[in-house]
Amino acid sequence: MTIRCLAALARMLACLLSLSCAAPARADEDDTRLLLDNAGRIIRQQETPDWQPAGPLRELSITIGGQTYRVEKTLGDLEPALYVAINTGQWSKVRELAAQYRLLPGHKPHLALMAEGLAARRAGDYTAAVGTLERAHRADPDDMRVQMELARVYAEDNQDREARRMFERALSNSLPPETRRLLQNHVDAVDRRGAWQGSIAVGVGRSSNINQANGYEHCSFAFAGSCLARLKLPDPIASSFVNYDLVLGRRIPLAGHHNLLIRPVGYGTRYRERDPDNPVLEDYSDSTGILYLGYQFASARHTANLTPYFENYRRNGDTTYHASGLQADWNYFLTPSLKLGLQAGTKRYRHRGPVRQYFADYTQNTAGVAATYYLDRSTSLYTGVDFYRKKYSTTVDSSKEAVLRAGMFRQFETGGLFANLLVLYRRFENDDYNFFYGVQREATQRIFVATLGSTRLSVRGAYPELRLKHTENRSSTIFHGYRQSEVSLQLRKNF
């Protein structure tokens, strides 16, 4: 009877320890980040600015049909030459032609200002471009070309209210049908930017280890060369599953670059298998819901978000925790091909339901840097490092994490195929020595994620997406090391 009690006690201790060390939010952080990054990529559709540094000025000339012509410093030559340089994209000559045109008596100030504003746009200086084109519009409010160019620059600079107002002003003129259709397309694009956008997916899959177990076995009580009580950790449980994810976003223009940002996120997994031998956690199915609501500043090169949010996490049929937090993000196009990013945030976890006796509330602070390099319109490389600080009431539970991620996205020209490869490396360390583990807990984790899809195989707008994921977690304790492989096939619809 005593031996059986010792064995039961060892099994119960192993179960509780393995549960207490499995941070319920860790997988959510990775999944949330991946979903938001993928949704942002879908919305942008690999869209990068087309501005580039202005080239050196050359002698006063213009090229038409491959033939270079000398431009005389007269109104008769310079005015049409300016239009030709603008329409054919000869931006290295626009500023010089505009400067010479300004010197001539009888020149049109709005034309010189429009040329200078468009040259600034091409060089990526949208502040100067908007200001100069606004001056051009004030100089001649009825000029349709100035109206259209100002409206376009407003749209590119993410000033949606001003862009729509100026596009409507341009549409009020008598225009050729082709020009009217083009302007209406711009208006529709601005309207779509203020509408709900995102993606939804449902699918099926299989996981090799839903309980993140390793099956470790050890003799915990021996006598006279015989093992009287054995510590046996749970074996990995393989299971098929059904999963879903939903990411939505909407920005409501306020004025200029200022917007109200609304972003709901939800995802979850329903596993077929359960763990009836675990007295605490029988069902590993879970779901996460997050609502971000805050402020966004958006221009042609800068995007900054400051969003309070609320998060709800359910597992084993009950709410595991509520969390409230504040997230700040900033992205900046240093060049048309290189985007840099910073993020910082804080979140307070408050556990609910039966798990409160096993999990303590804590605060998590995060900070990170990121970079994306666009090789071309179809290929991008991205990397970043994030730091997590979990602060509990005791040092033994508090921890530090560093996560390095790197990946590549490729959109192929044939078949509508795309691929996204992601590698994550995590380093975890508790603040203090743990009496139960007999060590100060440390762990390293490697995650490999490959996503393949084809938009050409879509049915009513939903296309297949295959996802492969492998996780290896190495720990200084016997309770936290595990391996897990997952494969899933989803149907995804973007809107």
Side-chain angles (χ1 to χ4, degrees):
M1 182 67 177
T2 302
I3 295 175
R4 293 178 62 186
C5 289
L6 285 172
L9 180 61
R11 179 172 175 80
M12 178 65 73
L13 178 62
C15 180
L16 293 177
L17 285 174
S18 61
L19 177 62
S20 65
C21 66
R26 174 171 298 171
D28 295 348
E29 297 291 343
D30 292 338
D31 291 343
T32 301
R33 181 63 177 266
L34 183 60
L35 283 173
L36 291 176
D37 287 348
N38 288 343
R41 186 180 296 110
I42 291 168
I43 292 173
R44 290 190 301 270
Q45 295 180 340
Q46 291 295 98
E47 188 172 311
T48 56
D50 62 356
W51 54 269
Q52 62 183 21
L57 298 180
R58 303 174 183 177
E59 67 177 21
L60 209 57
S61 62
I62 195 71
T63 301
I64 304 175
Q67 182 68 39
T68 300
Y69 297 92
R70 182 178 178 181
V71 178
E72 299 294 338
K73 298 178 182 180
T74 64
L75 289 176
D77 273 12
L78 282 171
E79 188 167 313
L82 261 178
Y83 279 110
V84 170
I86 293 170
N87 294 337
T88 58
Q90 299 181 52
W91 301 106
S92 62
K93 299 178 181 179
V94 167
R95 288 185 184 275
E96 185 179 8
L97 293 171
Q100 293 296 328
Y101 179 66
R102 276 183 174 279
L103 299 176
L104 299 179
H107 74 275
K108 299 175 181 177
H110 71 278
L111 175 57
L113 288 166
M114 182 182 74
E116 292 169 354
L118 293 177
R121 168 195 172 270
R122 182 61 177 175
D125 189 351
Y126 276 84
T127 300
V130 170
T132 306
L133 286 170
E134 286 177 339
R135 289 168 57 200
H137 178 59
R138 289 194 295 269
D140 190 347
D142 297 323
D143 187 282
M144 289 185 292
R145 180 65 182 270
V146 173
Q147 294 171 3
M148 290 187 287
E149 297 293 359
L150 178 56
R152 185 176 66 153
V153 171
Y154 274 144
E156 292 174 352
D157 200 32
N158 285 287
Q159 299 189 51
D160 292 349
R161 282 181 176 269
E162 290 76 4
R164 202 182 199 291
R165 173 177 55 81
M166 192 54 62
F167 276 129
E168 290 177 347
R169 174 73 182 274
L171 283 168
S172 67
N173 296 295
S174 178
L175 299 170
E178 296 80 5
T179 304
R180 183 172 294 277
R181 282 195 297 270
L182 177 63
L183 288 180
Q184 188 59 53
N185 288 338
H186 284 300
V187 174
D188 294 342
V190 171
D191 289 343
R192 283 194 301 271
R193 197 154 60 187
W196 287 104
Q197 300 183 69
S199 71
I200 184 172
V202 294
V204 296
R206 185 169 181 81
S207 173
S208 66
N209 190 356
I210 64 174
N211 54 334
Q212 298 181 350
N214 57 26
Y216 177 86
E217 189 171 355
H218 175 71
C219 182
S220 57
F221 182 74
F223 180 76
S226 298
C227 184
L228 303 181
R230 185 170 296 276
L231 172 64
K232 177 66 170 70
L233 297 183
D235 291 318
I237 299 174
S239 177
S240 58
F241 60 79
V242 177
N243 63 354
Y244 73 93
D245 64 70
L246 171 67
V247 181
L248 295 175
R250 185 184 181 187
R251 73 180 199 190
I252 301 174
L254 301 176
H257 300 289
H258 310 289
N259 306 277
L260 176 65
L261 181 64
I262 308 173
R263 181 178 288 166
V265 177
Y267 55 92
T269 304
R270 178 73 175 178
Y271 295 104
R272 181 177 181 179
E273 301 297 331
R274 297 197 174 195
D275 187 3
D277 295 330
N278 191 327
V280 179
L281 182 59
E282 179 182 354
D283 186 3
Y284 292 93
S285 301
D286 65 350
S287 63
T288 302
I290 311 172
L291 177 61
Y292 298 88
L293 177 62
Y295 166 79
Q296 180 187 73
F297 174 92
S299 68
R301 298 176 66 175
H302 296 263
T303 303
N305 301 328
L306 184 63
T307 50
Y309 64 93
F310 177 80
E311 178 176 329
N312 180 78
Y313 180 74
R314 290 179 57 85
R315 196 178 193 185
N316 198 34
D318 292 303
T319 295
T320 300
Y321 68 76
H322 291 158
S324 56
L326 179 66
Q327 183 69 26
D329 303 276
W330 174 76
N331 290 286
Y332 173 68
F333 274 97
L334 184 64
T335 73
S337 300
L338 180 59
K339 184 178 70 172
L340 305 178
L342 298 173
Q343 69 87 14
T346 185
K347 182 194 296 189
R348 179 64 181 175
Y349 291 84
R350 299 175 178 86
H351 290 89
R352 296 289 186 268
V355 300
R356 292 194 66 181
Q357 58 184 313
Y358 305 110
F359 295 105
D361 296 344
Y362 66 97
T363 299
Q364 175 179 277
N365 297 315
T366 65
V369 296
T372 302
Y373 184 75
Y374 298 90
L375 297 174
D376 52 43
R377 293 281 182 174
S378 302
T379 308
S380 61
L381 304 174
Y382 55 93
T383 186
V385 60
D386 296 303
F387 301 94
Y388 297 84
R389 176 62 171 157
K390 293 182 173 69
K391 192 67 175 177
Y392 288 81
S393 58
T394 59
T395 58
V396 68
D397 293 318
S398 299
S399 65
K400 298 180 287 290
E401 292 182 38
V403 182
L404 175 66
R405 65 184 186 280
M408 177 180 181
F409 177 84
R410 172 70 175 173
Q411 178 78 51
F412 298 94
E413 295 182 1
T414 58
L417 295 173
F418 66 88
N420 187 35
L421 304 177
L422 173 64
V423 178
L424 295 98
Y425 176 81
R426 172 180 279 106
R427 173 72 182 175
F428 171 92
E429 182 181 273
N430 274 133
D431 287 1
D432 209 346
Y433 179 89
N434 191 300
F435 170 78
F436 290 102
Y437 301 151
V439 294
Q440 181 176 345
R441 183 188 164 199
E442 297 178 354
T444 59
Q445 186 180 73
R446 294 174 176 86
I447 301 176
F448 306 89
V449 183
T451 305
L452 304 172
S454 175
T455 55
R456 291 281 182 88
L457 300 178
S458 63
V459 178
R460 295 187 177 181
Y463 59 87
E465 194 174 86
L466 177 67
R467 183 187 183 197
L468 308 172
K469 180 180 179 181
H470 179 72
T471 303
E472 293 184 6
N473 199 73
R474 298 182 179 181
S475 175
S476 59
T477 77
I478 63 174
F479 303 100
H480 300 91
Y482 69 91
R483 291 184 177 182
Q484 181 187 63
S485 295
E486 292 181 0
V487 58
S488 63
L489 179 63
Q490 290 184 312
L491 282 178
R492 183 173 300 279
K493 184 178 178 62
N494 303 324
F495 49 89

